[in-house]
């Protein structure tokens, strides 16, 4: 597992397919702040709650200068179904080989119901306009995380 990111670190660049199979790069968002959040699986209760919370607050975040990218190991086809089913407006990206998840230390060992397992660590990284890490939050909760993030960022 990669070292956890800290404020001031360069954010690992990536180019991943979105729900429509189009490439999206972190570099495409230079000049704006980016909330990159990592979640285990589309269409699961916690991930659905988190994606809906981001969608519900997307306009407020965009007005404050933030773009939002959600990354999971799911295939673009599953992300497209998730987006349609839940009416999501967040950009969802597919990382099937988990390279970006690993680079952001959002994949590795975690405790799940008292057992140690390997998987996606629910995390959120705020990247500034120059591509540097502004904040890195690991092991976040699906419920209430977006509201806390908005408070912490002063949005």
């Amino acid at each position: 597992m990669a070292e956890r990111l800290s404020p001031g670190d360069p954010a690992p660049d990536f180019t991943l397919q979105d729900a429509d199979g189009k490439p999206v790069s972190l570099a495409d968002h230079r000049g704006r702040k980016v909330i990159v959040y990592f979640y285990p699986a589309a269409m699961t209760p916690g991930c659905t709650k988190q994606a809906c919370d981001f969608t519900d607050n997307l306009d407020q975040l965009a007005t404050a200068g933030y773009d939002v990218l959600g990354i999971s190991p799911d295939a673009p086809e599953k992300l497209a179904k998730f987006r349609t089913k839940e009416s999501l407006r967040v950009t969802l990206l597919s990382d099937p080989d988990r390279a970006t998840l690993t680079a952001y230390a959002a994949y590795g060992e975690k405790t799940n119901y008292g057992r140690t397992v390997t998987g996606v660590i629910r995390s959120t990284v705020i990247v500034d306009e120059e591509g540097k890490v502004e904040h890195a939050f690991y092991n976040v909760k699906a419920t209430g995380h977006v509201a806390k993030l908005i408070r912490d960022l002063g949005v």
Side-chain angles (χ1 to χ4, degrees):
M1 185 169 98
E3 193 77 19
R4 285 190 171 181
L5 298 174
S6 299
D9 289 347
D13 211 355
F14 57 81
T15 300
L16 299 170
Q17 286 188 331
D18 69 7
D20 299 315
K22 295 188 179 88
V24 174
S25 297
L26 181 60
D28 298 342
H29 297 270
R30 287 288 189 278
R32 288 186 57 82
K33 293 186 179 199
V34 185
I35 297 170
V36 184
Y37 80 96
F38 300 92
Y39 63 99
M43 295 194 262
T44 57
C47 298
T48 298
K49 174 75 175 123
Q50 189 176 23
C52 288
D53 283 353
F54 271 117
T55 292
D56 292 347
N57 291 285
L58 201 57
D59 293 337
Q60 182 181 359
L61 290 164
T63 299
Y66 291 93
D67 295 337
V68 179
L69 303 174
I71 300 176
S72 77
D74 297 310
E77 301 78 29
K78 185 174 180 185
L79 297 178
K81 284 181 191 159
F82 185 39
R83 179 183 62 197
T84 300
K85 181 175 185 267
E86 302 298 338
S87 303
L88 301 174
R89 294 184 299 127
V90 175
T91 301
L92 301 174
L93 302 176
S94 172
D95 185 20
D97 64 6
R98 298 168 181 82
T100 300
L101 285 155
T102 301
Y104 278 78
Y107 186 82
E109 280 193 0
K110 63 180 185 174
T111 304
N112 197 14
Y113 300 109
R115 290 191 356 251
T116 300
V117 296
T118 300
V120 176
I121 299 163
R122 192 180 302 275
S123 310
T124 301
V125 176
I126 313 301
V127 180
D128 72 13
E129 298 89 343
E130 283 85 48
K132 294 211 179 312
V133 174
E134 198 169 272
H135 301 282
F137 305 100
Y138 291 94
N139 296 309
V140 301
K141 301 281 182 234
T143 304
H145 174 61
V146 175
K148 182 179 180 338
L149 199 56
I150 286 170
R151 277 193 315 275
D152 290 351
L153 297 174
V155 173

